Amino acid sequence: MAFTVHRLLMEQGIVCPVRWMSISRSGDAPAVIAKGGFSGLFPDSSDPAYSFAASNQDSAQWCDVRLTKDGVGICLPDIKMDNCTTISDLFPKGKKTYLVNGVSTTGWFSVDYNSIDLTNVTLLRAILSRTNRFDGSFTLVQVEVALSQYKAPAWLNVQHDSFYSQFNLSMRSYILSMSKQYTVDYISSPEVSFLKSLVGRVGRKTKLVLRFLDEGLVEPSTNQTYGSILKNLSSIKTFASGILVPKHYIWPVTADNYLQPSTSVVDDAHKAGLEIYAADFANDFALSYNYSYDPLAEYLGFIDNGAFCVDGLLTDFPITPLEAIGCFSNLNNTKADHGAPLVISHNGASGDYPDCTDLAYQKAVQDGADVIDCDVQVTKDGIPICMSSIDLMDVTTVASSQFASQAGVISDIKAVAGVYTFNLTWEDIANNLKPMISNPFGQISLSRNPRNRNAGKFMRLSDFLAFAKGKKLSGIMITVEHASFMAEKLGFGVVDAVIKAVDDSGYSKQSAQKVMIQSTNSSTLVKFKQLAKYNLVYKIDEVVKDAAPSSLADIKKFADAASVSIKSVYPESSNFLINQTNPLVKSLQSAGLPVYVYLLMNEFFSQPYDFFSDATSQINALVHKGGEGGGVDGLITDFPGTAHRYKLNSCRNMGDKTPYYMLPPQRGGLVGVIQDKAALPPAMAPEPVLTVSDVAEPPLPPVSNTTAPAPSHAPVEVSVSIPITAAVLVLCASLLI
């Protein structure tokens, strides 16, 4: 789905010459503006936010200017100080009500305090779903400090000029004073009269930018809506060199959060001689579903879409647009590359379509997966099928079907009631049930592709093999679990059934695609090794820091590769990387076992904060060789398109010239910024070492002559969809950090 931007443009009949698209109107690469510094990680406008964003001077520093009672400028994201500082704790009786652009507003305001009064006021995160571990640790940053200390282009935003005039404070005079003492590269405001008052009074290199608010809001000095002003861009050129618009002005979205065709506003601005900057970017916001929770894909939609390119991006996470501009623009996304890292789908492109359906597999191939996978289960009539769970309650609509009454507990599989694949025939499943998309973060309203939540058709193993054959893949991976249970309790030899299906499909007579078999059970892989010549992958299903030499020797007897969890590669505590490098990957590779890491997802809640809520940053760290990198050989992912695009980026193999934003994060580096010891994540107990006893298993039992076990019936707990409020979202977020 991440390439729908291109598809929408094609549908609009836009044809562009093949050229470098990430060039702005000025001929330079688009500017990256760090809103309040790196405010996606640290409190907006705090010292670490500005320092982190300015460390390599590649992004402009945005400061929302507020004035104190004594006329000192401070950087603060909200006119209501209680929304982003500890002011209400220090001055509990300071609440006031004022008119702000004609709207009665209650809170704590900077105009009621002298700058010295605010010395001990500290900053809080302005968005409550973000981590609270940096709250209350950093004092306010004055505008003069921001302009003098952080060596990066400066962008001053004045949001409420008319408000300060009520208190005999002149924002205009203050801004002019700052522009004479320091280099100010950009000055923006949503107030036309304020910008007009600066024309001819600031340096020629200072760009004045009109900031647009939502279309229906009224600009106070002209009494026109911003939607109306947008229709007369030529008039803006008389007092500004550019406009800053919410991103939905360019790529509007539907009520259910899917992209609509792009507007002409970028071209219109450029034709009027104006630069255009897009605002409201943040990696941890709910992106349009077309972007598949991939923030880098969203940025590319504004700078590298084959039709237009904005002149700058205002973001809480400046590192991701820097990646997009520096390493991912103008790529040939159709290029086949089956080299390392190997991109292995997880139930197809299951981030976009229901697991193991024809649509999920089609999308995985389209997105450039090297290997597509099938998790094999068996039906009541002995047909191997691709299904990500043996329990149909997890991945189908069986709970609302006539088969719901068959739910029961089978303790050998799970402790709660389920309806299992072996309870129903293939015809029962194919004709009466619908697939159900996986939603690992649905409890916090991060649902996957809701328009297609039940789309696609189920596939038998034979269907999967027929589909994969002839596709531009380096191989297929078949995952086999519960083999002992199937043999003993179902009388079904899943190993023999898989080998027969592979042989019947003709895979044994070709070499273009390798056949990989994955299992957490060594006994299953031993059986396959005895009967066929496949590439066998041992899945280590627990978090371990290393593997004992004896366990490595044992694994080598039956496996050709290993898959390990992300947490075994990058240990973490409460979503922060800890200062620990596990030798597991190197130990496996030294034993001649390539290492594939699972499970990658694009949703920002799946990544430690150190990866900046950016799936590409996490992939880069996992793949990077040496130093802080994980050095893995392959990626098992719900979103193969994101991993495939990574392989094409222009910043790979640059050695010492690799841009800083394409280097892995320092393990434990972000934790080191936490100043309050009480806010530190809890210390983690050491992970265990994988031993022979963890690996060794008795041989698979012989296939018994039996029928499927009758489950012990229990009441079925049916989940009901309820509205998720902002409060629930915040509560869930607080539990995860």
Side-chain angles (χ1 to χ4, degrees):
M1 292 182 67
F3 300 124
T4 307
V5 169
H6 297 265
R7 201 170 299 122
L8 282 169
L9 289 164
M10 291 173 64
E11 291 170 357
Q12 290 174 254
I14 297 173
V15 180
C16 294
V18 178
R19 62 187 179 92
W20 184 263
M21 287 305 302
S22 298
I23 298 296
S24 66
R25 179 180 177 275
S26 65
D28 299 323
V32 174
I33 305 104
K35 184 182 178 297
F38 208 124
S39 55
L41 276 182
F42 306 105
D44 192 308
S45 307
S46 64
D47 175 72
Y50 283 129
S51 297
F52 197 50
S55 57
N56 285 272
Q57 303 180 31
D58 285 325
S59 55
Q61 300 277 42
W62 169 284
C63 167
D64 280 298
V65 182
R66 316 289 174 187
L67 292 179
T68 62
K69 188 175 183 179
D70 52 347
V72 174
I74 56 176
C75 299
L76 214 56
D78 198 313
I79 194 169
K80 293 176 59 176
M81 294 187 69
D82 47 308
N83 283 347
C84 52
T85 75
T86 57
I87 186 75
S88 61
D89 295 331
L90 274 69
F91 300 96
K93 298 181 180 180
K95 183 186 291 188
K96 299 287 181 64
T97 299
Y98 296 122
L99 285 179
V100 179
N101 287 358
V103 178
S104 180
T105 306
T106 300
W108 279 254
F109 298 85
S110 60
V111 293
D112 293 320
Y113 305 93
N114 291 319
S115 55
I116 196 169
D117 298 329
L118 302 178
T119 302
N120 295 321
V121 173
T122 54
L123 292 159
L124 305 173
R125 68 201 190 283
I127 296 175
L128 296 181
S129 59
R130 293 173 177 168
T131 180
N132 63 351
R133 296 184 186 276
F134 301 107
D135 282 358
S137 296
F138 307 105
T139 55
L140 309 186
V141 173
Q142 294 187 3
V143 174
E144 288 193 62
V145 173
L147 294 174
S148 61
Q149 183 170 315
Y150 309 114
K151 304 300 181 181
W155 186 309
L156 301 182
N157 180 62
V158 176
Q159 198 71 7
H160 302 100
D161 168 59
S162 56
F163 170 75
Y164 294 97
S165 63
Q166 302 176 56
F167 304 92
N168 295 319
L169 294 170
S170 174
M171 182 65 79
R172 173 179 171 275
S173 297
Y174 179 79
I175 293 297
L176 289 175
S177 173
M178 291 297 100
S179 68
K180 291 176 182 178
Q181 296 179 60
Y182 305 99
T183 300
V184 178
D185 300 270
Y186 306 87
I187 300 173
S188 64
S189 176
E191 298 183 15
V192 170
S193 59
F194 177 72
L195 292 176
K196 285 183 174 180
S197 73
L198 300 181
V199 174
R201 294 177 173 84
V202 295
R204 285 184 294 177
K205 291 185 178 181
T206 299
K207 296 181 178 181
L208 300 180
V209 179
L210 177 63
R211 185 180 189 183
F212 280 73
L213 305 180
D214 283 344
E215 294 95 327
L217 293 178
V218 175
E219 192 282 318
S221 62
T222 63
N223 205 32
Q224 296 183 63
T225 65
Y226 287 98
S228 298
I229 295 172
L230 191 69
K231 296 175 183 177
N232 188 17
L233 291 177
S234 58
S235 66
I236 297 174
K237 182 63 178 174
T238 62
F239 61 88
S241 63
I243 59 175
L244 172 66
V245 301
K247 62 185 180 183
H248 72 260
Y249 272 46
I250 300 169
W251 281 106
V253 296
T254 60
D256 59 347
N257 205 26
Y258 285 86
L259 288 180
Q260 296 182 11
S262 62
T263 68
S264 62
V265 66
V266 176
D267 285 341
D268 294 343
H270 287 166
K271 288 175 183 176
L274 295 167
E275 293 184 335
I276 180 168
Y277 305 87
D280 301 337
F281 292 94
N283 295 2
D284 57 355
F285 288 175
L287 311 180
S288 165
Y289 294 116
N290 299 76
Y291 298 123
S292 300
Y293 288 102
D294 180 356
L296 198 148
E298 181 181 37
Y299 291 115
L300 290 173
F302 287 80
I303 65 167
D304 187 40
N305 57 48
F308 59 78
C309 176
V310 299
D311 298 278
L313 302 153
L314 177 62
T315 174
D316 292 8
F317 291 84
I319 201 164
T320 306
L322 289 172
E323 291 173 4
I325 294 165
C327 304
F328 290 90
S329 297
N330 203 37
L331 300 180
N332 178 7
N333 285 302
T334 63
K335 180 182 176 183
D337 177 3
H338 294 317
L342 202 65
V343 177
I344 304 168
S345 76
H346 178 249
N347 306 317
S350 55
D352 290 321
Y353 292 100
D355 296 4
C356 302
T357 57
D358 58 340
L359 294 179
Y361 289 129
Q362 290 167 19
K363 185 67 165 59
V365 172
Q366 173 192 329
D367 282 353
D370 299 309
V371 175
I372 59 174
D373 68 307
C374 168
D375 204 333
V376 171
Q377 313 297 342
V378 63
T379 64
K380 185 176 183 179
D381 47 345
I383 296 177
I385 63 172
C386 297
M387 193 74 70
S388 61
S389 174
I390 195 170
D391 183 2
L392 294 169
M393 300 282 279
D394 295 335
V395 289
T396 76
T397 57
V398 71
S400 58
S401 76
Q402 67 266 39
F403 304 112
S405 60
Q406 296 193 32
V409 175
I410 296 180
S411 57
D412 288 339
I413 298 177
K414 57 194 304 187
V416 296
V419 178
Y420 299 96
T421 58
F422 51 79
N423 295 144
L424 306 182
T425 67
W426 166 245
E427 293 299 322
D428 290 336
I429 294 171
N431 295 335
N432 297 284
L433 305 183
K434 291 182 179 180
M436 190 168 64
I437 200 167
S438 61
N439 276 308
F441 302 101
Q443 78 276 16
I444 51 171
S445 296
L446 294 181
S447 299
R448 291 177 169 178
N449 194 7
R451 286 185 183 177
N452 291 284
R453 62 167 57 92
N454 301 121
K457 297 178 181 178
F458 299 114
M459 297 185 77
R460 296 166 294 192
L461 176 58
S462 58
D463 300 325
F464 169 82
L465 293 168
F467 168 80
K469 197 173 180 183
K471 298 296 190 296
K472 292 182 179 179
L473 299 166
S474 65
I476 58 171
M477 185 162 77
I478 299 171
T479 298
V480 178
E481 303 293 350
H482 309 295
S484 293
F485 174 84
M486 292 183 192
E488 280 190 302
K489 303 297 177 66
L490 304 183
F492 182 77
V494 65
V495 173
D496 293 327
V498 168
I499 292 173
K500 183 179 186 303
V502 171
D503 287 344
D504 290 347
S505 70
Y507 261 90
S508 300
K509 299 176 182 178
Q510 59 85 50
S511 58
Q513 296 180 9
K514 64 182 177 182
V515 177
M516 305 165 69
I517 305 292
Q518 177 181 245
S519 182
T520 58
N521 298 120
S522 59
S523 56
T524 300
L525 297 178
V526 167
K527 185 71 171 179
F528 272 107
K529 190 173 183 68
Q530 292 169 352
L531 300 177
K533 294 183 178 180
Y534 301 146
N535 187 273
L536 305 177
V537 182
Y538 181 52
K539 182 178 180 180
I540 302 172
D541 61 350
E542 56 184 315
V543 176
V544 295
K545 66 180 180 182
D546 200 0
S550 55
S551 67
L552 292 171
D554 204 26
I555 294 171
K556 279 289 290 182
K557 294 176 183 177
F558 61 81
D560 305 290
S563 53
V564 304
S565 70
I566 292 175
K567 289 185 178 181
S568 291
V569 182
Y570 276 101
E572 63 176 82
S573 174
S574 300
N575 250 23
F576 285 85
L577 296 185
I578 62 175
N579 187 17
Q580 176 180 313
T581 302
N582 288 347
L584 176 65
V585 173
K586 289 185 177 179
S587 295
L588 290 165
Q589 290 171 338
S590 296
L593 297 164
V595 178
Y596 312 133
V597 66
Y598 68 87
L599 171 64
L600 278 76
M601 295 180 278
N602 282 2
E603 290 95 342
F604 61 86
F605 261 99
S606 71
Q607 301 132 18
Y609 297 115
D610 307 68
F611 297 128
F612 318 121
S613 301
D614 176 2
T616 300
S617 178
Q618 183 180 44
I619 290 169
N620 182 60
L622 288 165
V623 170
H624 195 87
K625 303 288 185 183
E628 301 281 349
V632 302
D633 303 289
L635 307 161
I636 300 174
T637 172
D638 285 357
F639 296 88
T642 303
H644 171 71
R645 186 193 57 212
Y646 171 79
K647 294 172 64 170
L648 305 179
N649 86 78
S650 58
C651 295
R652 294 189 69 193
N653 306 314
M654 292 182 68
D656 294 341
K657 296 182 179 179
T658 300
Y660 75 95
Y661 46 77
M662 291 298 288
L663 295 175
Q666 178 186 352
R667 297 169 190 255
L670 192 55
V671 168
V673 184
I674 300 174
Q675 295 191 352
D676 181 359
K677 291 184 178 180
L680 287 170
M684 298 295 291
E687 295 98 343
V689 172
L690 191 72
T691 64
V692 169
S693 61
D694 298 317
V695 176
E697 293 179 347
L700 287 180
V703 177
S704 64
N705 184 16
T706 186
T707 57
S712 58
H713 291 284
V716 182
E717 192 173 298
V718 180
S719 62
V720 179
S721 177
I722 61 173
I724 303 295
T725 65
V728 173
L729 177 60
V730 171
L731 174 61
C732 292
S734 67
L735 294 174
L736 287 169
I737 57 179

